[in-house]
Amino acid sequence: MGLKAGIVGLPNVGKSTLFNAITNSHVEAANYPFATINPNTGVVNVPDERLDFLTNIFKPERKIPATVEFTDIAGLVKGASNGEGLGNKFLANIRECDAIVEVVRCFDNADIVHVEESVDPIRDIEIINLELIMADLDTVDKRIEKSEAKARIAKDKEAIYEMNLLKPLKEVLEQGLPARKAKLTEDQIAYCKVNYHLLTDKPIIYVANVGESDLMDLDNCKYYQDVLAYASKENSQVIPVSAQIESDLSELSEEERKEYLAELNVKESGLEKVIKATYKLLNLSTFFTVGADECRAWTFKNNMSAPECAGVIHTDFQKGFICAEVYPYEAIHELGSEHAVKEAGKIRTEGKGYYPKDGDIMFFRFNVKK
């Protein structure tokens, strides 16, 4: 789908360690600011137990999971919106992302330098969020300067439309709130995304990088609880992760990982939770195609039509779309085989007006005239 999430945070909070573990790559994760200057990008598989189940049923030659792209972005410092540190580069790299994964340090370790010289996750979040807000306010002010005279004097329709959109954005940003808090119509939101690329308009999740011992006792981890309380006010999700544990897990075989997780008494790693949450944050869902040759998870944006989903596979499928044979994953999970699903009458034929749901198993019929 060409969508990506940017991993952001202050220097030395565990961003690059997290990115290394997520992508199983080995970018520099040094104990000093700006170890990451150019953004590192990695495409990772989205863990999906449904695809594993379908693979066991159909025994295909290939299993192909859905993927999501992550970018590790240079650490931000106070004053980035005014060009401090690598501010301009940092902000430009975030602008190119579709969602933000903000890593927050929630552990004490005297051996790891903190750019602010103390551990305070809420202060750290507010430093980053304020810099993003200030950068957005600068963008909005420049657009107002460009459109105000056109709207007031020339009565230009588009300029008037813009001013009605820019004013509530400016009010929200001046209150120190993100642009996504502005009360806008759906049309205005779409216009804003296409024309302004505001940083605080992007959806966000927080990753609380906690100490190894705190991961098993989150109720008593004050730093994590502080982040949880902060995020709940803006309806954002927080995922607790020990970047060090995840780094260790990434070096193990699949069998060893399962044993390690069993010892920790958890079903899935923190990174698997981060990847799944990011996938949802990007407003993505999955449909499946199945058979003896291949079981595959395909990514689509929520509210895409059946022909648009067919186009995810191949543009010819969309151009010549006739119909789709569809059944929900739950049906085959319950009944155990596609034949049983068919016998139970649970396979439906859907036309162009159908909007696929997450977990749909689909077979597209199409005809392209030469």
Side-chain angles (χ1 to χ4, degrees), residues 102-107 119-126 129 205-210 218 221-240:
E102 186 170 329
V103 182
V104 188
R105 179 170 167 176
C106 292
F107 65 90
V119 177
D120 183 340
I122 302 307
R123 176 205 58 208
D124 294 354
I125 289 173
E126 290 179 343
N129 290 357
I205 56 173
Y206 296 99
V207 173
N209 185 12
V210 301
L218 291 169
C221 178
K222 182 181 183 304
Y223 294 144
Y224 171 73
Q225 292 299 325
D226 287 347
V227 175
L228 203 59
Y230 182 95
S232 68
K233 293 176 185 176
E234 55 179 51
N235 296 318
S236 295
Q237 187 176 359
V238 182
I239 300 176

Side-chain angles (χ1 to χ4, degrees), residues 10-17 20 27-36 105 107 109-115:
L10 295 181
N12 298 342
V13 297
K15 289 186 304 82
S16 294
T17 302
N20 286 346
V27 302
E28 188 173 14
N31 181 22
Y32 53 88
F34 311 128
T36 305
R105 179 170 167 176
F107 65 90
N109 188 329
D111 295 329
I112 299 178
V113 178
H114 192 295
V115 71

Side-chain angles (χ1 to χ4, degrees), residues 41 79 102 106 132 148 220 227 232 308 313-314:
T41 298
E102 186 170 329
C106 292
L132 300 185
E148 191 171 31
N220 291 312
V227 175
S232 68
E308 288 173 321
I313 299 176
H314 197 287

Side-chain angles (χ1 to χ4, degrees), residues 165 168-170 172-173 177-185 189:
L165 167 57
L169 281 173
K170 182 177 172 68
V172 163
L173 292 167
L177 298 172
R180 55 184 171 273
K181 290 293 186 182
K183 293 180 180 179
L184 304 176
T185 66
I189 291 170

Side-chain angles (χ1 to χ4, degrees), residues 229-290:
Y230 182 95
S232 68
K233 293 176 185 176
E234 55 179 51
N235 296 318
S236 295
Q237 187 176 359
V238 182
I239 300 176
V241 166
S242 167
Q244 188 54 57
I245 287 178
E246 300 299 337
S247 180
D248 294 342
L249 281 168
S250 70
E251 302 292 334
L252 302 177
S253 67
E254 185 64 27
E255 196 58 39
E256 289 171 328
R257 285 180 73 256
K258 287 179 180 177
E259 290 177 12
Y260 196 154
L261 290 173
E263 287 177 14
L264 295 174
N265 198 29
V266 293
K267 290 184 178 179
E268 59 182 353
S269 72
L271 290 190
E272 288 175 325
K273 293 177 184 176
V274 171
I275 293 167
K276 288 179 180 179
T278 301
Y279 194 72
K280 291 190 178 300
L281 190 69
L282 289 165
N283 196 31
L284 302 176
S285 287
T286 302
F287 71 85
F288 301 97
T289 54
V290 295

